[in-house]
Amino acid sequence: MPKIVIPDDAPPVMGPSHAYRTLLDRAPVEYFDTLPRSEADLIERIGAAEIVINIRSSSRFTENVFAQCEQLQLLSLWGTGTDNVDLAAASRRGVTVTNTPGVSAISIAEHCLALLLSVARKIPRTDAEIRQGHWPRGGGAQMYGKTLGIIGLGAIGRRFAQLGQAIGMRVIAWTLHPNPALGFELVSLDELYRSSDVISLHLRLSAETRDLVGEREFATMKRSAILINTARGPIANEAALIEALLTGRIAGAGIDVFDVEPLPAGHPLTRLPNVVLTAHSAGVTPEALEAGLQMAVDNVFHFLAGHPTQVVAAPEGRL
């Protein structure tokens, strides 16, 4: 059997899973439940590996990592995001890269709805005041009849759009790959920013999407608008977001992802009353965790059987 390494299961999600047991039943695994301290440490852990199952996006697979890990054939990512992997370098170095799309879509979309309603109804603030002996009433916003703007119509964006429709919202959308068959009204980005009461981000982080929402975009939005981000922090420029929230340029935000994670103590976002924050946990439910981990393991089995699945990068000449 090829050498399989899991270099970064911290905090552990793969180790306690049923998916890991199915992997161990078929192959020996070198397993680490701590994060690599550096790129050199990551290379030391996986230098002799033919297959790597990557758990955390903090492990970055650069040109140098691929160059130093000459035995590597498959990088199986747990999760959808690929911004921690130089996909072009993987292809040049003969490495197949797979991921686990769609398995967390329901969980993340439900989390988006929870963030939206928490911000719109000011639930965390009201809860805190009641616990302090106050009795605040009113002040929340109803979402029925409002416009939900979805940026990105992948599996998560489509599912959240459906949930928005289910509570009576009008849905408009913009996507990198427009397809009217998806069944949602497609508009330009500027129109989406101008018209939406709620704007939700559902894109991968790339050079094209980094800082997609910045000072100009916030200035275009309604002052009553709410931003939801469960995709990647840098898609919305953090400084511009904080300024928009501080000045009332937008009404609020529900944020699950950040430029730096974990969010540093005392970060400006933690001091804003019109923000609801969660810890990059939108897809972390028992059901979504197990499904995604099992897909990451299945991607290994399929690769070994000669028919790789969920491929996002393949060796040059095999795309």
Side-chain angles (χ1 to χ4, degrees), residues 28-92:
V29 179
E30 187 170 355
Y31 169 84
F32 295 86
D33 61 2
T34 58
L35 292 176
R37 298 181 300 277
S38 63
E39 182 177 277
D41 191 21
L42 175 62
I43 292 170
E44 183 177 352
R45 292 183 182 194
I46 68 172
E50 294 161 272
I51 294 174
V52 168
I53 301 177
N54 165 235
I55 303 300
R56 299 300 173 188
S57 60
S58 56
S59 294
R60 306 197 66 80
F61 294 84
T62 63
E63 173 86 54
N64 183 53
V65 170
F66 289 119
Q68 297 297 318
C69 301
E70 296 181 352
Q71 306 302 313
L72 187 59
Q73 299 175 28
L74 172 69
L75 174 60
S76 176
L77 306 175
W78 171 57
T80 303
T82 59
D83 47 290
N84 62 317
V85 181
D86 186 332
L87 296 177
S91 183
R92 286 194 300 272

Short mmCIF file of all heavy atoms in Angstrom, two decimals, residues 28-92:
data_model
loop_
_atom_site.label_atom_id
_atom_site.label_comp_id
_atom_site.label_asym_id
_atom_site.label_seq_id
_atom_site.Cartn_x
_atom_site.Cartn_y
_atom_site.Cartn_z
N PRO A 28 -2.48 1.35 6.37
CA PRO A 28 -1.83 2.03 7.49
C PRO A 28 -1.75 3.52 7.21
O PRO A 28 -1.63 3.95 6.06
CB PRO A 28 -0.44 1.40 7.55
CG PRO A 28 -0.21 0.92 6.15
CD PRO A 28 -1.54 0.53 5.59
N VAL A 29 -1.84 4.32 8.26
CA VAL A 29 -1.85 5.77 8.12
C VAL A 29 -0.90 6.37 9.16
O VAL A 29 -0.93 5.97 10.33
CB VAL A 29 -3.26 6.35 8.33
CG1 VAL A 29 -3.24 7.87 8.21
CG2 VAL A 29 -4.24 5.74 7.33
N GLU A 30 -0.09 7.34 8.73
CA GLU A 30 0.68 8.14 9.69
C GLU A 30 -0.16 9.37 10.00
O GLU A 30 -0.50 10.14 9.10
CB GLU A 30 2.03 8.53 9.11
CG GLU A 30 2.93 9.21 10.14
CD GLU A 30 4.36 9.40 9.65
OE1 GLU A 30 4.68 8.91 8.54
OE2 GLU A 30 5.14 10.04 10.37
N TYR A 31 -0.46 9.54 11.27
CA TYR A 31 -1.48 10.51 11.67
C TYR A 31 -0.90 11.51 12.67
O TYR A 31 -0.24 11.13 13.63
CB TYR A 31 -2.67 9.76 12.29
CG TYR A 31 -3.69 10.62 12.98
CD1 TYR A 31 -4.71 11.23 12.26
CD2 TYR A 31 -3.65 10.81 14.36
CE1 TYR A 31 -5.67 12.01 12.89
CE2 TYR A 31 -4.60 11.59 15.00
CZ TYR A 31 -5.61 12.18 14.27
OH TYR A 31 -6.54 12.95 14.90
N PHE A 32 -1.20 12.81 12.45
CA PHE A 32 -0.77 13.87 13.36
C PHE A 32 -1.99 14.65 13.83
O PHE A 32 -2.79 15.10 12.99
CB PHE A 32 0.19 14.84 12.65
CG PHE A 32 1.50 14.22 12.23
CD1 PHE A 32 1.60 13.57 11.00
CD2 PHE A 32 2.62 14.30 13.05
CE1 PHE A 32 2.80 13.00 10.60
CE2 PHE A 32 3.82 13.73 12.65
CZ PHE A 32 3.92 13.08 11.44
N ASP A 33 -2.12 14.82 15.14
CA ASP A 33 -3.24 15.60 15.68
C ASP A 33 -2.78 16.96 16.18
O ASP A 33 -3.39 17.57 17.05
CB ASP A 33 -3.98 14.83 16.78
CG ASP A 33 -3.08 14.51 17.96
OD1 ASP A 33 -1.89 14.89 17.96
OD2 ASP A 33 -3.59 13.85 18.90
N THR A 34 -1.67 17.45 15.61
CA THR A 34 -1.19 18.81 15.85
C THR A 34 -0.97 19.47 14.50
O THR A 34 -0.77 18.79 13.48
CB THR A 34 0.14 18.81 16.63
OG1 THR A 34 1.12 18.07 15.88
CG2 THR A 34 -0.03 18.18 18.00
N LEU A 35 -0.99 20.80 14.49
CA LEU A 35 -0.75 21.52 13.25
C LEU A 35 0.75 21.62 12.99
O LEU A 35 1.54 21.78 13.93
CB LEU A 35 -1.33 22.93 13.32
CG LEU A 35 -2.85 23.05 13.37
CD1 LEU A 35 -3.26 24.50 13.54
CD2 LEU A 35 -3.49 22.47 12.11
N PRO A 36 1.18 21.54 11.74
CA PRO A 36 2.59 21.79 11.43
C PRO A 36 2.98 23.20 11.87
O PRO A 36 2.22 24.15 11.70
CB PRO A 36 2.64 21.66 9.90
CG PRO A 36 1.45 20.84 9.53
CD PRO A 36 0.40 21.18 10.54
N ARG A 37 4.16 23.32 12.44
CA ARG A 37 4.61 24.61 12.96
C ARG A 37 5.08 25.54 11.85
O ARG A 37 5.14 26.76 12.05
CB ARG A 37 5.73 24.41 13.97
CG ARG A 37 5.33 23.61 15.21
CD ARG A 37 6.49 23.48 16.18
NE ARG A 37 7.63 22.79 15.58
CZ ARG A 37 7.75 21.47 15.51
NH1 ARG A 37 6.78 20.70 16.00
NH2 ARG A 37 8.80 20.92 14.95
N SER A 38 5.41 24.99 10.71
CA SER A 38 5.97 25.77 9.62
C SER A 38 5.87 24.96 8.34
O SER A 38 5.50 23.77 8.35
CB SER A 38 7.44 26.11 9.90
OG SER A 38 8.19 24.91 9.96
N GLU A 39 6.22 25.59 7.23
CA GLU A 39 6.26 24.86 5.97
C GLU A 39 7.27 23.72 6.04
O GLU A 39 7.02 22.62 5.55
CB GLU A 39 6.61 25.80 4.82
CG GLU A 39 6.62 25.12 3.46
CD GLU A 39 6.88 26.06 2.32
OE1 GLU A 39 5.91 26.72 1.86
OE2 GLU A 39 8.05 26.15 1.87
N ALA A 40 8.41 23.98 6.68
CA ALA A 40 9.43 22.94 6.81
C ALA A 40 8.90 21.76 7.61
O ALA A 40 9.19 20.59 7.30
CB ALA A 40 10.69 23.52 7.47
N ASP A 41 8.10 22.04 8.64
CA ASP A 41 7.52 20.98 9.46
C ASP A 41 6.52 20.16 8.64
O ASP A 41 6.47 18.93 8.73
CB ASP A 41 6.85 21.59 10.69
CG ASP A 41 6.45 20.54 11.73
OD1 ASP A 41 7.02 19.43 11.71
OD2 ASP A 41 5.57 20.84 12.55
N LEU A 42 5.71 20.85 7.82
CA LEU A 42 4.77 20.14 6.95
C LEU A 42 5.52 19.23 5.99
O LEU A 42 5.16 18.06 5.81
CB LEU A 42 3.93 21.14 6.17
CG LEU A 42 2.96 20.55 5.12
CD1 LEU A 42 1.92 19.66 5.78
CD2 LEU A 42 2.28 21.67 4.32
N ILE A 43 6.60 19.75 5.40
CA ILE A 43 7.39 18.94 4.47
C ILE A 43 7.99 17.73 5.17
O ILE A 43 8.00 16.62 4.61
CB ILE A 43 8.49 19.81 3.82
CG1 ILE A 43 7.85 20.85 2.88
CG2 ILE A 43 9.49 18.95 3.05
CD1 ILE A 43 8.81 21.90 2.39
N GLU A 44 8.45 17.93 6.39
CA GLU A 44 9.02 16.80 7.14
C GLU A 44 7.96 15.72 7.39
O GLU A 44 8.24 14.52 7.29
CB GLU A 44 9.60 17.27 8.46
CG GLU A 44 10.26 16.18 9.28
CD GLU A 44 10.91 16.69 10.56
OE1 GLU A 44 10.98 17.92 10.75
OE2 GLU A 44 11.33 15.85 11.37
N ARG A 45 6.74 16.14 7.66
CA ARG A 45 5.68 15.17 7.96
C ARG A 45 5.26 14.39 6.71
O ARG A 45 4.93 13.21 6.81
CB ARG A 45 4.46 15.89 8.55
CG ARG A 45 4.71 16.47 9.93
CD ARG A 45 3.45 17.11 10.51
NE ARG A 45 3.73 17.70 11.82
CZ ARG A 45 2.81 18.10 12.69
NH1 ARG A 45 1.52 17.97 12.38
NH2 ARG A 45 3.15 18.63 13.84
N ILE A 46 5.25 15.05 5.56
CA ILE A 46 4.68 14.40 4.37
C ILE A 46 5.73 14.10 3.31
O ILE A 46 5.39 13.65 2.21
CB ILE A 46 3.56 15.27 3.75
CG1 ILE A 46 4.13 16.56 3.14
CG2 ILE A 46 2.48 15.57 4.78
CD1 ILE A 46 3.12 17.36 2.34
N GLY A 47 7.00 14.30 3.62
CA GLY A 47 8.06 14.19 2.62
C GLY A 47 8.11 12.85 1.91
O GLY A 47 8.46 12.77 0.73
N ALA A 48 7.76 11.78 2.61
CA ALA A 48 7.81 10.45 2.01
C ALA A 48 6.44 9.93 1.61
O ALA A 48 6.30 8.79 1.17
CB ALA A 48 8.47 9.47 2.99
N ALA A 49 5.42 10.77 1.75
CA ALA A 49 4.05 10.31 1.50
C ALA A 49 3.74 10.26 0.02
O ALA A 49 4.19 11.09 -0.77
CB ALA A 49 3.06 11.25 2.19
N GLU A 50 2.95 9.27 -0.36
CA GLU A 50 2.39 9.21 -1.70
C GLU A 50 0.97 9.77 -1.73
O GLU A 50 0.50 10.26 -2.76
CB GLU A 50 2.40 7.76 -2.19
CG GLU A 50 3.81 7.22 -2.39
CD GLU A 50 3.84 5.71 -2.42
OE1 GLU A 50 3.97 5.09 -1.35
OE2 GLU A 50 3.73 5.15 -3.53
N ILE A 51 0.29 9.70 -0.58
CA ILE A 51 -1.07 10.24 -0.45
C ILE A 51 -1.15 11.06 0.83
O ILE A 51 -0.71 10.60 1.90
CB ILE A 51 -2.12 9.11 -0.43
CG1 ILE A 51 -2.14 8.40 -1.78
CG2 ILE A 51 -3.51 9.65 -0.06
CD1 ILE A 51 -3.03 7.18 -1.81
N VAL A 52 -1.70 12.26 0.72
CA VAL A 52 -1.92 13.13 1.88
C VAL A 52 -3.39 13.47 1.96
O VAL A 52 -4.00 13.85 0.94
CB VAL A 52 -1.07 14.42 1.80
CG1 VAL A 52 -1.52 15.43 2.85
CG2 VAL A 52 0.40 14.11 1.97
N ILE A 53 -3.96 13.32 3.15
CA ILE A 53 -5.32 13.82 3.41
C ILE A 53 -5.17 15.09 4.24
O ILE A 53 -4.72 15.04 5.39
CB ILE A 53 -6.19 12.78 4.14
CG1 ILE A 53 -6.30 11.50 3.31
CG2 ILE A 53 -7.58 13.35 4.41
CD1 ILE A 53 -7.07 10.39 3.98
N ASN A 54 -5.53 16.21 3.66
CA ASN A 54 -5.38 17.52 4.31
C ASN A 54 -6.67 17.90 5.02
O ASN A 54 -7.74 17.88 4.42
CB ASN A 54 -5.01 18.56 3.25
CG ASN A 54 -5.18 20.00 3.73
OD1 ASN A 54 -5.88 20.77 3.09
ND2 ASN A 54 -4.57 20.35 4.82
N ILE A 55 -6.55 18.27 6.29
CA ILE A 55 -7.71 18.62 7.09
C ILE A 55 -7.86 20.14 7.24
O ILE A 55 -8.96 20.67 7.12
CB ILE A 55 -7.63 17.96 8.49
CG1 ILE A 55 -7.49 16.44 8.35
CG2 ILE A 55 -8.86 18.32 9.32
CD1 ILE A 55 -8.64 15.76 7.63
N ARG A 56 -6.79 20.85 7.50
CA ARG A 56 -6.87 22.26 7.85
C ARG A 56 -6.30 23.15 6.75
O ARG A 56 -5.22 22.89 6.23
CB ARG A 56 -6.11 22.53 9.16
CG ARG A 56 -6.68 21.76 10.35
CD ARG A 56 -8.13 22.13 10.62
NE ARG A 56 -8.73 21.29 11.65
CZ ARG A 56 -10.02 21.29 11.96
NH1 ARG A 56 -10.85 22.07 11.31
NH2 ARG A 56 -10.48 20.50 12.90
N SER A 57 -7.02 24.25 6.45
CA SER A 57 -6.58 25.16 5.39
C SER A 57 -5.36 25.96 5.80
O SER A 57 -4.74 26.63 4.97
CB SER A 57 -7.72 26.11 5.00
OG SER A 57 -8.14 26.88 6.10
N SER A 58 -4.98 25.90 7.08
CA SER A 58 -3.75 26.57 7.52
C SER A 58 -2.51 25.86 7.00
O SER A 58 -1.41 26.45 6.98
CB SER A 58 -3.70 26.66 9.05
OG SER A 58 -3.81 25.37 9.62
N SER A 59 -2.63 24.60 6.59
CA SER A 59 -1.52 23.90 5.94
C SER A 59 -1.51 24.30 4.47
O SER A 59 -2.44 23.99 3.73
CB SER A 59 -1.70 22.38 6.06
OG SER A 59 -1.61 21.97 7.40
N ARG A 60 -0.45 24.97 4.07
CA ARG A 60 -0.39 25.53 2.73
C ARG A 60 0.53 24.69 1.85
O ARG A 60 1.70 24.48 2.17
CB ARG A 60 0.06 26.99 2.76
CG ARG A 60 -0.80 27.85 3.71
CD ARG A 60 -0.63 29.32 3.45
NE ARG A 60 -1.14 29.72 2.15
CZ ARG A 60 -2.42 29.93 1.87
NH1 ARG A 60 -3.34 29.77 2.82
NH2 ARG A 60 -2.80 30.29 0.67
N PHE A 61 -0.02 24.24 0.74
CA PHE A 61 0.71 23.39 -0.19
C PHE A 61 1.20 24.25 -1.35
O PHE A 61 0.50 24.48 -2.33
CB PHE A 61 -0.19 22.23 -0.65
CG PHE A 61 -0.52 21.29 0.47
CD1 PHE A 61 -1.57 21.56 1.33
CD2 PHE A 61 0.23 20.15 0.68
CE1 PHE A 61 -1.88 20.70 2.38
CE2 PHE A 61 -0.05 19.28 1.72
CZ PHE A 61 -1.11 19.56 2.58
N THR A 62 2.43 24.74 -1.20
CA THR A 62 3.03 25.68 -2.13
C THR A 62 3.86 24.95 -3.19
O THR A 62 4.04 23.73 -3.13
CB THR A 62 3.95 26.64 -1.36
OG1 THR A 62 5.02 25.87 -0.79
CG2 THR A 62 3.19 27.37 -0.24
N GLU A 63 4.37 25.71 -4.11
CA GLU A 63 5.30 25.17 -5.11
C GLU A 63 6.45 24.45 -4.43
O GLU A 63 6.84 23.34 -4.82
CB GLU A 63 5.83 26.30 -5.99
CG GLU A 63 6.92 25.88 -6.96
CD GLU A 63 6.39 25.31 -8.26
OE1 GLU A 63 5.58 25.97 -8.92
OE2 GLU A 63 6.82 24.19 -8.62
N ASN A 64 6.99 25.06 -3.36
CA ASN A 64 8.13 24.46 -2.66
C ASN A 64 7.74 23.14 -1.99
O ASN A 64 8.51 22.17 -2.00
CB ASN A 64 8.69 25.44 -1.62
CG ASN A 64 9.92 24.88 -0.93
OD1 ASN A 64 10.87 24.46 -1.58
ND2 ASN A 64 9.89 24.87 0.39
N VAL A 65 6.55 23.08 -1.39
CA VAL A 65 6.10 21.84 -0.75
C VAL A 65 6.02 20.73 -1.79
O VAL A 65 6.52 19.61 -1.56
CB VAL A 65 4.74 22.05 -0.05
CG1 VAL A 65 4.16 20.71 0.39
CG2 VAL A 65 4.90 22.99 1.15
N PHE A 66 5.40 21.01 -2.92
CA PHE A 66 5.30 19.97 -3.95
C PHE A 66 6.68 19.57 -4.48
O PHE A 66 6.93 18.39 -4.75
CB PHE A 66 4.40 20.44 -5.09
CG PHE A 66 2.94 20.51 -4.74
CD1 PHE A 66 2.26 21.73 -4.79
CD2 PHE A 66 2.25 19.38 -4.34
CE1 PHE A 66 0.92 21.79 -4.46
CE2 PHE A 66 0.91 19.44 -4.00
CZ PHE A 66 0.24 20.65 -4.06
N ALA A 67 7.57 20.55 -4.60
CA ALA A 67 8.92 20.25 -5.10
C ALA A 67 9.69 19.34 -4.15
O ALA A 67 10.45 18.46 -4.57
CB ALA A 67 9.68 21.54 -5.35
N GLN A 68 9.48 19.56 -2.85
CA GLN A 68 10.21 18.79 -1.84
C GLN A 68 9.59 17.41 -1.60
O GLN A 68 10.27 16.52 -1.08
CB GLN A 68 10.25 19.57 -0.52
CG GLN A 68 10.98 20.89 -0.58
CD GLN A 68 12.45 20.73 -0.91
OE1 GLN A 68 13.12 19.82 -0.40
NE2 GLN A 68 12.96 21.59 -1.78
N CYS A 69 8.33 17.25 -1.94
CA CYS A 69 7.63 15.98 -1.67
C CYS A 69 7.47 15.23 -2.99
O CYS A 69 6.37 15.15 -3.56
CB CYS A 69 6.28 16.27 -1.01
SG CYS A 69 6.43 17.17 0.55
N GLU A 70 8.55 14.64 -3.45
CA GLU A 70 8.60 14.09 -4.80
C GLU A 70 7.77 12.81 -4.94
O GLU A 70 7.43 12.43 -6.06
CB GLU A 70 10.06 13.81 -5.18
CG GLU A 70 10.90 15.08 -5.26
CD GLU A 70 12.34 14.80 -5.66
OE1 GLU A 70 12.71 13.60 -5.74
OE2 GLU A 70 13.08 15.76 -5.90
N GLN A 71 7.43 12.16 -3.84
CA GLN A 71 6.65 10.92 -3.92
C GLN A 71 5.15 11.17 -3.98
O GLN A 71 4.38 10.25 -4.27
CB GLN A 71 6.95 10.02 -2.70
CG GLN A 71 8.42 9.72 -2.48
CD GLN A 71 9.05 9.05 -3.68
OE1 GLN A 71 8.48 8.10 -4.23
NE2 GLN A 71 10.21 9.53 -4.07
N LEU A 72 4.75 12.41 -3.72
CA LEU A 72 3.33 12.70 -3.57
C LEU A 72 2.58 12.51 -4.89
O LEU A 72 2.97 13.04 -5.93
CB LEU A 72 3.15 14.13 -3.07
CG LEU A 72 1.71 14.55 -2.68
CD1 LEU A 72 1.16 13.66 -1.58
CD2 LEU A 72 1.69 16.01 -2.24
N GLN A 73 1.49 11.76 -4.83
CA GLN A 73 0.65 11.51 -6.00
C GLN A 73 -0.75 12.08 -5.85
O GLN A 73 -1.37 12.50 -6.83
CB GLN A 73 0.54 10.00 -6.24
CG GLN A 73 1.86 9.31 -6.53
CD GLN A 73 1.68 7.81 -6.64
OE1 GLN A 73 0.62 7.31 -7.03
NE2 GLN A 73 2.72 7.06 -6.30
N LEU A 74 -1.27 12.06 -4.61
CA LEU A 74 -2.64 12.52 -4.37
C LEU A 74 -2.68 13.39 -3.13
O LEU A 74 -2.16 13.02 -2.07
CB LEU A 74 -3.58 11.33 -4.17
CG LEU A 74 -5.01 11.68 -3.73
CD1 LEU A 74 -5.77 12.40 -4.85
CD2 LEU A 74 -5.78 10.43 -3.29
N LEU A 75 -3.33 14.55 -3.26
CA LEU A 75 -3.66 15.41 -2.13
C LEU A 75 -5.18 15.45 -2.03
O LEU A 75 -5.85 16.04 -2.87
CB LEU A 75 -3.10 16.81 -2.32
CG LEU A 75 -3.48 17.86 -1.27
CD1 LEU A 75 -3.01 17.45 0.13
CD2 LEU A 75 -2.91 19.24 -1.65
N SER A 76 -5.73 14.78 -1.01
CA SER A 76 -7.17 14.72 -0.80
C SER A 76 -7.55 15.76 0.25
O SER A 76 -7.21 15.62 1.42
CB SER A 76 -7.59 13.32 -0.34
OG SER A 76 -8.97 13.27 -0.04
N LEU A 77 -8.25 16.80 -0.19
CA LEU A 77 -8.64 17.88 0.72
C LEU A 77 -9.98 17.57 1.36
O LEU A 77 -10.92 17.17 0.67
CB LEU A 77 -8.76 19.20 -0.05
CG LEU A 77 -7.57 19.67 -0.89
CD1 LEU A 77 -7.95 20.92 -1.66
CD2 LEU A 77 -6.36 19.94 0.00
N TRP A 78 -10.06 17.80 2.67
CA TRP A 78 -11.36 17.79 3.33
C TRP A 78 -11.90 19.21 3.27
O TRP A 78 -11.33 20.13 3.82
CB TRP A 78 -11.24 17.33 4.78
CG TRP A 78 -12.52 17.50 5.56
CD1 TRP A 78 -13.73 16.99 5.25
CD2 TRP A 78 -12.71 18.27 6.77
NE1 TRP A 78 -14.67 17.37 6.19
CE2 TRP A 78 -14.07 18.15 7.13
CE3 TRP A 78 -11.85 19.03 7.57
CZ2 TRP A 78 -14.58 18.78 8.26
CZ3 TRP A 78 -12.37 19.65 8.70
CH2 TRP A 78 -13.73 19.51 9.04
N GLY A 79 -13.01 19.38 2.56
CA GLY A 79 -13.58 20.70 2.37
C GLY A 79 -13.62 21.07 0.91
O GLY A 79 -13.08 20.37 0.05
N THR A 80 -14.24 22.21 0.64
CA THR A 80 -14.40 22.67 -0.73
C THR A 80 -13.29 23.63 -1.15
O THR A 80 -12.84 23.62 -2.28
CB THR A 80 -15.76 23.37 -0.90
OG1 THR A 80 -16.80 22.45 -0.52
CG2 THR A 80 -15.99 23.81 -2.32
N GLY A 81 -12.85 24.49 -0.23
CA GLY A 81 -11.88 25.52 -0.56
C GLY A 81 -10.54 24.95 -0.99
O GLY A 81 -10.06 23.95 -0.44
N THR A 82 -9.93 25.61 -1.97
CA THR A 82 -8.61 25.19 -2.46
C THR A 82 -7.60 26.33 -2.38
O THR A 82 -6.53 26.25 -2.97
CB THR A 82 -8.71 24.71 -3.92
OG1 THR A 82 -9.23 25.78 -4.73
CG2 THR A 82 -9.62 23.51 -4.05
N ASP A 83 -7.93 27.40 -1.64
CA ASP A 83 -7.05 28.56 -1.61
C ASP A 83 -5.74 28.30 -0.86
O ASP A 83 -4.81 29.11 -0.94
CB ASP A 83 -7.77 29.77 -0.99
CG ASP A 83 -8.50 29.43 0.30
OD1 ASP A 83 -9.51 28.71 0.22
OD2 ASP A 83 -8.05 29.88 1.37
N ASN A 84 -5.63 27.19 -0.15
CA ASN A 84 -4.36 26.84 0.52
C ASN A 84 -3.47 25.97 -0.34
O ASN A 84 -2.43 25.50 0.11
CB ASN A 84 -4.64 26.14 1.85
CG ASN A 84 -5.39 24.83 1.70
OD1 ASN A 84 -6.34 24.76 0.92
ND2 ASN A 84 -4.99 23.81 2.42
N VAL A 85 -3.87 25.73 -1.61
CA VAL A 85 -3.12 24.84 -2.49
C VAL A 85 -2.78 25.57 -3.80
O VAL A 85 -3.65 26.18 -4.42
CB VAL A 85 -3.94 23.57 -2.83
CG1 VAL A 85 -3.14 22.64 -3.73
CG2 VAL A 85 -4.35 22.85 -1.55
N ASP A 86 -1.51 25.51 -4.19
CA ASP A 86 -1.10 26.00 -5.50
C ASP A 86 -1.46 24.92 -6.51
O ASP A 86 -0.70 23.97 -6.74
CB ASP A 86 0.40 26.29 -5.50
CG ASP A 86 0.87 26.95 -6.78
OD1 ASP A 86 0.24 26.73 -7.83
OD2 ASP A 86 1.90 27.67 -6.74
N LEU A 87 -2.64 25.04 -7.10
CA LEU A 87 -3.16 23.99 -7.98
C LEU A 87 -2.31 23.85 -9.24
O LEU A 87 -2.10 22.73 -9.74
CB LEU A 87 -4.61 24.28 -8.36
CG LEU A 87 -5.62 24.28 -7.19
CD1 LEU A 87 -7.00 24.67 -7.70
CD2 LEU A 87 -5.66 22.93 -6.51
N ALA A 88 -1.81 24.97 -9.75
CA ALA A 88 -0.97 24.89 -10.95
C ALA A 88 0.33 24.13 -10.65
O ALA A 88 0.79 23.32 -11.46
CB ALA A 88 -0.66 26.30 -11.46
N ALA A 89 0.91 24.40 -9.47
CA ALA A 89 2.13 23.69 -9.09
C ALA A 89 1.86 22.20 -8.91
O ALA A 89 2.68 21.36 -9.30
CB ALA A 89 2.70 24.29 -7.80
N ALA A 90 0.71 21.87 -8.32
CA ALA A 90 0.36 20.46 -8.16
C ALA A 90 0.29 19.77 -9.51
O ALA A 90 0.83 18.67 -9.71
CB ALA A 90 -0.98 20.34 -7.43
N SER A 91 -0.36 20.42 -10.46
CA SER A 91 -0.48 19.85 -11.81
C SER A 91 0.88 19.65 -12.45
O SER A 91 1.17 18.59 -13.02
CB SER A 91 -1.36 20.76 -12.66
OG SER A 91 -1.56 20.21 -13.95
N ARG A 92 1.75 20.66 -12.33
CA ARG A 92 3.09 20.55 -12.93
C ARG A 92 3.90 19.43 -12.30
O ARG A 92 4.70 18.77 -12.96
CB ARG A 92 3.84 21.87 -12.76
CG ARG A 92 3.37 22.99 -13.66
CD ARG A 92 4.37 24.13 -13.67
NE ARG A 92 4.59 24.69 -12.34
CZ ARG A 92 3.87 25.68 -11.82
NH1 ARG A 92 2.86 26.20 -12.51
NH2 ARG A 92 4.13 26.15 -10.62
#
